Amino acid sequence: MTHPLAMTPPMGWNSWNTFGEKINEQVVLETADLFVKLGLKDAGYEYIVIDDCWSLRERDPKTNEIVPDPVKFPRGMKFVSDYIHKKGLKFGMYSCAGTRTCANFPSSFGHEFLDARTFAKWGVDFLKYDYCNMPFGGQAPLFYRRMGQALRNSGREILFSACEWGAEDVWSWIRSTGASMYRSTGDIFDNFESMKKIAQSQLPKLASSAPGCWNDMDMLTVGMFGRGNVGNAESVQTIDQYKLQFAVWCVWGSPLMLGCDIRKLADMPDVLALVTNKDLLRINQDPLGRQAYAADTCWGNQDVGTVARLLDNNETAVLCHNFTDADRTFHSLLEKLGISYESGLKLRMKDCFTGKTAFSGRDEFSVSVPAKSCRVFLCKPVKA
Ligand code: GLA
């Protein structure tokens, strides 16, 4: 059996942000149908992941296996998995490295190999593996390594998605466990401050996302508009704010796990257009998988700045982010992207949101960036 590395950031949907413990078979099957119908599958979204709260509170006393909740999943997990596979999609599930999951359901500590075999039997392709109720402090590398081995020996290719919140210096060892992606922060909530905090905490860690194992900045809240498990009607975000979130996740190289209610996407054409934006996805899924870099910070803070990323085909992605609540004009030197005046080059810049193309000067480009939003460009050097 091969153990393929994720050469580009995994893409899909996870139930937690919207449904929390209210997850059930109907939601999952409808989401799979809509992945195909709305073009999400064609755009590259692949994994449909059931998060916490899918099982009964106790294991089967005879087999010791975790048992799917028969009210939420009346036809069992193999049925769900077959349904998802027939759509040409992949099926993800959730467990935890501790003694109970975060929502106090059975978890895999001490049962890693049994659970991995059970997931394999059900046709699972992806396992999110959480960090609650760890039995001993400071042992995460060991317990993640154990589930990594259990998955490798389960008889099925299962992508290992570690969810360890950035604790215990996770960047320094997570690749050794077999994980293909790993959460680097605490949980996201559907408000601007939460997204900003996560994003800015990872700005100094852009090198920690790379082919094989990607820095997962958490499930997207794009399109939630205050609804659902991590939503809050008091903090409804705007499409401009969601553009900033989606662009940051794309350019910085995070996996793209949608978290909104996919059943509402057809009525939100601007959100659907955002999450299927070809240029942004092309940047996120670039085959070279190079790290992004902070090219420029304006006024010495992290709220306003430019992050760039070298892409295949001699292109460069340029993201100008504005986390402040005032519109800003950026003047950024090409020099900061490594293009000196002496090169005789300027940039052809395609705006990823409008599709319009413009040219930089030989030494700088100027762009206006709305408050709490961004501009993103696909750039190519051309003769000045
Ligand atoms: C943790 C994780 C979340 C989610 C919940 C489920 O908080 O970080 O992403 O999986 O557990 O209980």
Side-chain angles (χ1 to χ4, degrees):
M1 198 175 79
T2 57
H3 301 287
L5 291 167
M7 295 313 289
T8 59
M11 294 169 63
W13 173 85
N14 175 299
S15 60
W16 182 252
N17 280 2
T18 293
F19 295 97
E21 66 174 336
K22 297 200 187 94
I23 185 61
N24 61 48
E25 178 189 285
Q26 193 190 345
V27 166
V28 176
L29 304 192
E30 279 179 23
T31 301
D33 291 345
L34 288 167
F35 257 47
V36 177
K37 196 166 159 210
L38 298 176
L40 293 166
K41 180 186 168 201
D42 286 346
Y45 294 92
E46 191 177 19
Y47 294 98
I48 306 266
V49 182
I50 300 172
D51 206 281
D52 205 350
C53 310
W54 56 266
S55 77
L56 291 179
R57 291 279 174 192
E58 300 305 330
R59 288 174 179 268
D60 182 314
K62 286 207 196 84
T63 63
N64 234 356
E65 285 182 3
I66 308 186
V67 187
D69 182 326
V71 174
K72 293 176 179 169
F73 295 96
R75 288 175 279 192
M77 288 306 178
K78 184 71 170 65
F79 175 84
V80 176
S81 141
D82 287 347
Y83 190 95
I84 289 174
H85 289 146
K86 279 200 199 103
K87 304 260 157 192
L89 298 165
K90 292 186 173 164
F91 178 41
M93 287 193 70
Y94 165 100
S95 188
C96 176
T99 50
R100 300 287 285 178
T101 72
C102 297
N104 195 26
F105 287 87
S107 182
S108 294
F109 177 73
H111 301 284
E112 290 87 352
F113 285 78
L114 169 65
D115 289 353
R117 282 197 305 275
T118 306
F119 290 132
K121 188 171 78 183
W122 290 340
V124 167
D125 307 295
F126 175 114
L127 181 70
K128 173 172 169 179
Y129 203 50
D130 217 336
Y131 185 65
C132 274
N133 303 308
M134 295 295 277
F136 311 102
Q139 295 291 326
L142 179 60
F143 299 147
Y144 278 82
R145 203 178 298 145
R146 220 194 256 172
M147 185 48 99
Q149 281 288 11
L151 293 176
R152 287 162 68 92
N153 290 286
S154 69
R156 191 174 167 86
E157 276 173 26
I158 302 181
L159 186 145
F160 188 20
S161 166
C163 175
E164 196 265 11
W165 317 331
E168 298 184 42
D169 203 18
V170 68
W171 304 269
S172 62
W173 53 266
I174 193 65
R175 295 172 74 87
S176 71
T177 67
S180 293
M181 57 192 265
Y182 65 102
R183 277 271 301 281
S184 50
T185 68
D187 289 9
I188 197 164
F189 292 89
D190 184 29
N191 65 68
F192 188 78
E193 286 310 312
S194 169
M195 183 280 291
K196 176 178 166 181
K197 190 169 149 215
I198 287 179
Q200 294 195 334
S201 73
Q202 298 310 298
L203 195 49
K205 299 209 165 68
L206 293 170
S208 64
S209 211
C213 194
W214 302 91
N215 179 356
D216 174 9
M217 292 163 61
D218 208 350
M219 287 91 69
L220 295 152
T221 65
V222 171
M224 289 184 67
F225 293 110
R227 292 180 294 246
N229 186 43
V230 305
N232 179 340
E234 314 287 282
S235 64
V236 177
Q237 297 199 68
T238 64
I239 188 74
D240 264 358
Q241 294 173 10
Y242 287 143
K243 280 183 179 171
L244 174 57
Q245 179 181 157
F246 195 69
V248 165
W249 265 235
C250 281
V251 176
W252 298 13
S254 174
L256 301 175
M257 301 302 290
L258 302 171
C260 66
D261 187 344
I262 301 297
R263 301 168 311 173
K264 296 204 158 56
L265 263 188
D267 298 327
M268 302 189 292
D270 46 357
V271 175
L272 184 58
L274 175 61
V275 300
T276 56
N277 181 299
K278 281 207 164 58
D279 290 329
L280 288 174
L281 294 177
R282 178 252 180 281
I283 294 168
N284 181 259
Q285 296 290 304
D286 185 74
L288 302 183
R290 291 202 180 276
Q291 74 190 63
Y293 62 94
D296 213 350
T297 46
C298 305
W299 302 291
N301 69 43
Q302 294 195 344
D303 282 352
V304 185
T306 299
V307 170
R309 179 167 161 193
L310 293 183
L311 305 173
D312 200 9
N313 194 30
N314 195 26
E315 288 176 300
T316 299
V318 170
L319 163 60
C320 302
H321 59 254
N322 179 5
F323 289 103
T324 75
D325 47 20
D327 296 349
R328 303 276 188 172
T329 301
F330 282 50
H331 304 281
S332 209
L333 293 174
L334 265 55
E335 181 76 44
K336 306 263 185 175
L337 302 173
I339 298 177
S340 61
Y341 193 82
E342 170 263 333
S343 69
L345 298 170
K346 63 181 179 182
L347 290 179
R348 193 178 70 213
M349 304 175 74
K350 179 184 176 196
D351 185 315
C352 296
F353 292 129
T354 65
K356 289 196 182 125
T357 295
F359 291 89
S360 73
R362 188 167 160 177
D363 50 6
E364 69 161 30
F365 63 88
S366 297
V367 292
S368 57
V369 186
K372 292 185 174 165
S373 197
C374 65
R375 301 280 299 276
V376 195
F377 302 93
L378 261 178
C379 302
K380 198 147 185 171
V382 293
K383 239 173 155 283

